[in-house]
Amino acid sequence: DPTWPSSTDELEEIMYQLKAFRGRRFSDTVDPCTNEASGPGRQNAAEWLRLGFHDMATANAAAGIGGLDGSIQYMLDNGENLGPGFNTTLRFLAGYHSSRASISDLIALGVYVSVRSCGGPVIPVRGGRVDALGPGDTGVPQPEHDIALFRQQFARMGFTPEEMIQVTACGHTLGGVHSNEFPELVSGTEVGSDSTVALFDNKVVTEYLESNTSNPLVVGPAVALGKDSDRRIFDSDGNLTVTAMMDPPTFQAVCQKVLQKMIEVVPAGVVLSDPILPYTVKPVGMQLTLAQGAGSILLTGNIRVRTTHLPRSEIQNLVLTYKDRDGGDKCGHSCTITSTLLGGGRGLDDTFSFFPIEASVSARTGISSFIITINLKNGSNLHFTNNGQSFPLQDAVMLMRPQSCLMQHTGVFSATAAIRNDRGDLPTTLLVSYKAPRLGLPVPGLHNMTMSMRKGPCVGLYTLYSANWTIPGGISFASRIDIISGEMGSNDAVADDFNDAAELPGSCAPFQGSSRCEEVILGTTANPTTTVSSTDVATVSSPSLPEPIHNNAQSSAEGELRLGKAFSSFFQYLTNYIANFFFGYDRWQLVNHQLGRVT
Ligand code: HEM
């Protein structure tokens, strides 16, 4: 297993955690491979694979310029990238774009997902690609180019003449040629490059070699027009390379190799990670929130267990055992949390089981890390220690979700954070990573805004901080929110980061703190902390709720008012939740792309 957390965790989730419970739904428009989510005659899987090639194809490998770098988003009108598929695909990918998932990494994941859902090999994907900020060079091979030019172009990309043949065959096993883009080559809507447009099989070479192909880049009008590029490429070594690919397992193995090579052509300076593998045990969406009264911290989230090789029916339960703030076992009452299966999820090759965690941790003793034990029904158990390092969790900085809120239609945003009192002298910063549409481009720009948060009331062992901002761009729900304590970028900075704005409520709830402000001295969880000051019960009221009414004479009316307010804020929350559910950015994108989809 990889060690958690890792810089590729978000990519791992998009790549593997696809369907059902907590599914990221990244494969929805390309799985099944026959999915024509964008219209008849348009296999989205083929469009995704072709996008990978066209983005890479302008690379100058020797010079370390270009490659899979997302530059194609700026080059859709240059005449080399014909067809609506590039735009459609980039718009879909944009829904997953974030500081942790570049468009170029998403294009690479798209190659994996599309090829695999069509029955092709598992293409290892490394993460860490960096997106270009503007257009790159031109140079995508076109059907009318001659073989000498093809060889030159592929050599520029870093491919040998043999690899040129292989990667073209591997690409053209999916999809085909469209009359809208190449009316001189095909009539009707689409003619496949082989008889199985939605299967990653070797028919593209067998049909060619057996002379029963209808590939428009081999036979038909293309021959007289000099646009029979597949024919000229395939027989450029006397059919030697394609003949070797007639063996189906060889075809798959060759394609795995050259397609991995294709997505690993990156500009100089880009450092790719190890191939992204699914975790056996992964904490998902773990969140700490200071509870009302400030005496305890709510720990929520899920432990995701990969059940591909471990049938979920054999699992009795899962136990999370945690360490207190100082790494000891003083957890108030018990240091263990037991969970039973809540839901199942799937990837293309994997199944997952989710074990929900919802527990109260003493604010006095806190939490710093945990390990996981899976108890099996046969009495044995499995231990997961995160490669001996325990799964780390910090309780110094928390985004207070119930006390934070976002009005999605206006972008009006209030953030509340709880910072542990031992960090009271350090700056607290709000970082919002937000997206703003760009005229004529399929992918909105990604921007960062930072501002320092105002210190508010001390509520026991923690102090609340707040900040308000209006998120511009009209897609505020696609933002990610970080709370950082300490100088940004310094070694001792601690952050509660990458919080999904779409999960914030539409109105901020008030917070009722403790009456005593207390100092936190690390290394003393066992001892009571010193009281440094005593204040009235600290109440933080929500900025978007009316001020509380203090009128004892009208207590019954106030009671009714409170009930009414509770009801209306619940109603607001519900409305917001429903709006998020239906119009959350990813889903909204999906709805767009699924129009016309036949299920
Ligand atoms: C000399 C090299 C190549 C040339 C000249 C070429 C040319 C073409 C042309 C003209 C089309 C038809 C597009 C349309 O009408 O929608 C096409 C489709 C396609 N190409 Fe290539 N191609 C080459 C190499 C590759 C490579 C290396 C890959 C990927 C590994 C690839 C993947 C695809 C895919 C998947 C389609 C089907 C797209 C769809 O159905 O929407 N091609 N290619």
Side-chain angles (χ1 to χ4, degrees):
D1 254 32
T3 300
W4 184 89
S6 139
S7 60
T8 53
D9 283 346
E10 167 71 356
L11 294 172
E12 189 260 13
E13 198 172 292
I14 298 170
M15 182 173 180
Y16 295 109
Q17 199 178 301
L18 295 172
K19 291 164 192 270
F21 192 74
R22 285 192 73 103
R24 296 295 297 269
R25 310 183 64 173
F26 185 66
S27 62
D28 273 20
T29 63
V30 297
D31 182 21
C33 181
T34 47
N35 197 339
E36 297 185 344
S38 306
R42 288 181 59 186
Q43 287 84 39
N44 285 44
E47 294 180 349
W48 287 31
L49 176 56
R50 185 167 174 242
L51 172 66
F53 175 56
H54 279 229
D55 189 37
M56 183 283 294
T58 56
N60 185 332
I65 298 169
L68 214 67
D69 62 0
S71 57
I72 193 170
Q73 62 183 303
Y74 305 100
M75 305 172 76
L76 295 184
D77 298 326
N78 73 357
E80 290 190 345
N81 302 305
L82 293 184
F86 300 112
N87 189 56
T88 315
T89 308
L90 286 164
R91 282 180 185 279
F92 181 90
L93 300 183
Y96 294 85
H97 182 209
S98 71
S99 57
R100 298 191 182 174
S102 64
I103 287 293
S104 38
D105 276 341
L106 291 167
I107 294 174
L109 289 190
V111 169
Y112 156 80
V113 166
S114 56
V115 168
R116 189 66 187 137
S117 80
C118 296
V122 172
I123 296 161
V125 181
R126 301 173 192 271
R129 288 170 196 76
V130 178
D131 291 341
L133 300 174
D137 292 334
T138 52
V140 180
Q142 302 296 322
E144 62 275 15
H145 293 160
D146 65 27
I147 190 68
L149 182 53
F150 285 145
R151 285 202 177 118
Q152 244 177 52
Q153 291 163 332
F154 278 89
R156 165 176 50 71
M157 303 170 216
F159 287 72
T160 64
E162 184 190 22
E163 288 169 335
M164 167 185 78
I165 301 166
Q166 292 170 332
V167 76
T168 304
C170 296
H172 290 173
T173 180
L174 295 183
V177 181
H178 296 84
S179 58
N180 275 345
E181 287 69 49
F182 296 94
E184 73 283 17
L185 300 185
V186 296
S187 48
T189 313
E190 179 197 26
V191 177
S193 333
D194 67 16
S195 58
T196 51
V197 290
L199 254 190
F200 197 98
D201 59 5
N202 71 347
K203 287 227 159 66
V204 64
V205 294
T206 56
E207 290 171 357
Y208 160 77
L209 288 167
E210 288 156 3
S211 301
N212 59 0
T213 184
S214 44
N215 181 349
L217 299 177
V218 173
V219 295
V223 182
L225 293 168
K227 295 191 173 187
D228 52 348
S229 52
D230 275 2
R231 172 195 297 279
R232 289 179 287 113
I233 286 178
F234 291 169
D235 80 6
S236 61
D237 67 353
N239 290 333
L240 210 69
T241 302
V242 279
T243 303
M245 294 171 87
M246 282 193 80
D247 169 49
T250 304
F251 183 87
Q252 300 286 331
V254 163
C255 291
Q256 182 182 46
K257 190 159 156 263
V258 290
L259 291 177
Q260 180 178 359
K261 176 163 183 164
M262 179 177 94
I263 60 173
E264 290 182 3
V265 177
V266 291
V270 171
V271 180
L272 296 178
S273 70
D274 287 339
I276 303 166
L277 298 173
Y279 285 88
T280 308
V281 164
K282 186 186 192 192
V284 174
M286 297 303 267
Q287 182 71 34
L288 293 174
T289 313
L290 191 63
Q292 292 287 357
S296 60
I297 301 168
L298 219 60
L299 168 63
T300 52
N302 281 279
I303 302 298
R304 192 194 76 191
V305 177
R306 182 167 173 248
T307 40
T308 314
H309 306 296
L310 171 75
R312 57 179 70 136
S313 58
E314 289 178 16
I315 300 177
Q316 180 71 36
N317 60 25
L318 176 146
V319 178
L320 180 154
T321 306
Y322 66 94
K323 294 285 186 198
D324 65 35
R325 184 172 295 136
D326 294 324
D329 299 321
K330 310 252 167 26
C331 309
H333 25 275
S334 153
C335 289
T336 62
I337 301 161
T338 302
S339 175
T340 51
L341 178 78
L342 175 68
R346 299 193 300 286
L348 291 167
D349 291 287
D350 292 292
T351 58
F352 301 102
S353 291
F354 289 83
F355 293 82
I357 301 297
E358 191 172 338
S360 179
V361 169
S362 156
R364 188 163 302 284
T365 49
I367 182 169
S368 56
S369 72
F370 59 86
I371 54 164
I372 297 292
T373 305
I374 295 175
N375 293 314
L376 300 178
K377 287 186 177 152
N378 69 10
S380 61
N381 44 48
L382 306 165
H383 295 282
F384 297 92
T385 61
N386 199 26
N387 298 322
Q389 315 210 358
S390 295
F391 296 93
L393 210 58
Q394 60 79 19
D395 65 2
V397 181
M398 306 173 213
L399 171 67
M400 296 289 285
R401 291 181 186 221
Q403 282 71 44
S404 302
C405 47
L406 172 67
M407 306 284 277
Q408 294 196 354
H409 59 291
T410 56
V412 171
F413 170 55
S414 282
T416 302
I419 307 293
R420 210 174 53 205
N421 285 347
D422 55 296
R423 304 188 69 86
D425 293 336
L426 298 168
T428 301
T429 309
L430 165 71
L431 187 156
V432 180
S433 166
Y434 66 97
K435 299 178 183 181
R438 296 182 293 183
L439 200 68
L441 294 175
V443 180
L446 199 59
H447 308 273
N448 279 344
M449 187 288 305
T450 54
M451 64 162 69
S452 53
M453 298 184 78
R454 281 183 310 277
K455 198 170 193 166
C458 174
V459 292
L461 297 148
Y462 287 83
T463 296
L464 299 183
Y465 286 69
S466 64
N468 298 304
W469 192 51
T470 300
I471 304 175
I475 40 178
S476 60
F477 48 86
S479 307
R480 295 281 180 166
I481 293 145
D482 294 6
I483 309 288
I484 302 140
S485 160
E487 290 299 338
M488 282 175 72
S490 74
N491 279 343
D492 69 337
V494 178
D496 177 1
D497 51 15
F498 210 56
N499 292 285
D500 191 347
E503 290 173 10
L504 292 179
S507 62
C508 293
F511 186 82
Q512 182 87 26
S514 143
S515 57
R516 298 195 307 172
C517 182
E518 297 179 64
E519 202 178 342
V520 176
I521 302 167
L522 296 179
T524 57
T525 47
N527 312 317
T529 48
T530 341
T531 302
V532 291
S533 74
S534 182
T535 57
D536 285 341
V537 174
T539 305
V540 182
S541 60
S542 138
S544 59
L545 284 177
E547 284 300 306
I549 296 167
H550 298 290
N551 188 340
N552 292 334
Q554 292 176 0
S555 57
S556 74
E558 195 187 336
E560 274 172 40
L561 193 76
R562 275 212 195 108
L563 199 68
K565 251 184 346 193
F567 184 78
S568 83
S569 82
F570 174 73
F571 184 72
Q572 271 183 41
Y573 172 80
L574 200 70
T575 317
N576 193 261
Y577 181 84
I578 292 169
N580 277 347
F581 184 84
F582 286 108
F583 301 107
Y585 193 65
D586 293 352
R587 287 189 184 87
W588 179 79
Q589 287 286 329
L590 214 63
V591 169
N592 260 351
H593 288 87
Q594 285 181 329
L595 285 180
R597 173 182 177 190
V598 188
T599 37

